[in-house]
Amino acid sequence: MKRRAVFMDRDGTISEEVGYVNHPTRYRVFPYSAEAVRLLNGAGWLAILVTNQAGVARGYFTEDLIGEVHGRLERELERGGARLDALYYCAHHPTVGEIPYRFDCDCRKPKPGLIKRAADKFEIDLKQSWMIGDRYSDIELARNAGTRAAFVLSGYGRGEWEYQRAAWKHEPELVAENLLEAVKIIVQSPKSNVQS
Ligand SMILES: [Mg+2]
Ligand SMILES: [Zn+2]
């Protein structure tokens, strides 16, 4: 049987939006994120991070630094008894930087490449899955990948929700204060009661 997943954005969603994280010490995981991921682990949902890190293409930092930052994130979640099943990132940019990172890839969100890659590897039922993020582009990503969209008001969320929503082409299925509140609602929704 195919599994359900909650895909989540990184900056502004599981951790603070601080601009480019060009040093691991700038990285701050939200205090509620371990509980959110632990809830997903306990309820049998795959918990998968998907993030654009075009700072690599722009020459602001290396892929090694992304690895260090994600190591920090995983250790912090582990201290809270939580575990991500996978972390996927796109380091590309279509027009900026040097080859191989200057590249019109299929994985720069809102393109669905990262989610498609995960769906193949973990045999995920995308229609029963969610994408959680703090930008409108995360909602577009959900549409492009065929998941449901949950919008959080952390990070850029509140500003986008209050000032830019009028221009949105798609509405999210769920709006929540933050990752934990979104996850609480998602894990409580029985399969059959959620529209696909
Ligand atoms: Mg974000
Ligand atoms: Zn990419």
Side-chain angles (χ1 to χ4, degrees), residues 9 20 50-58 61 88-96 101-117 131 135 137-138 140-142 144-145:
D9 168 54
Y20 289 103
V50 287
T51 179
N52 280 354
Q53 294 299 328
V56 176
R58 293 176 183 277
F61 50 81
Y88 290 90
Y89 64 86
C90 167
H92 309 119
H93 192 283
T95 58
V96 177
Y101 296 111
R102 192 184 72 231
F103 169 48
D104 191 13
C105 64
D106 69 354
C107 53
R108 179 170 164 80
K109 301 188 304 177
K111 289 185 178 177
L114 299 179
I115 288 182
K116 297 287 186 196
R117 217 185 291 169
M131 172 68 210
R135 308 289 303 257
S137 60
D138 294 307
E140 287 193 309
L141 168 63
N144 293 339

